[in-house]
């Protein structure tokens, strides 16, 4: 996967498909089994928090 400057990317998938693991790998929070991650510049990640409204 290659993301160019200015592109907007959405990571979508079913529950348990690996979306969070994919993002954690890019951020260096978990080890990858194979492949390469190169980041030029900075990264930002804002996780979604569950909200319960009555």
């Amino acid at each position: 996967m290659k993301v160019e400057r200015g592109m907007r990317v959405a990571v979508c998938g079913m529950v348990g498909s690996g979306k969070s693991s994919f993002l954690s790998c890019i951020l260096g929070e978990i080890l990858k089994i194979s492949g390469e991650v190169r980041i030029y510049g900075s990264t930002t990640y804002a996780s979604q928090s569950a909200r319960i409204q009555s």
Side-chain angles (χ1 to χ4, degrees):
M1 176 177 177
K2 185 175 183 178
V3 179
E4 299 287 343
R5 178 181 217 138
M7 290 175 67
R8 293 186 179 146
V9 178
V11 179
C12 305
M14 296 178 64
V15 172
S17 63
K19 301 176 299 289
S20 295
S21 296
F22 174 67
L23 295 172
S24 292
C25 182
I26 291 173
L27 295 171
E29 295 177 353
I30 61 173
L31 297 176
K32 59 182 171 29
I33 295 173
S34 64
E36 182 178 342
V37 176
R38 288 186 285 173
I39 298 174
Y40 302 102
S42 59
T43 57
T44 303
Y45 175 66
S47 64
Q48 179 180 0
S49 56
R51 293 184 355 190
I52 299 176
Q53 296 179 350
S54 51

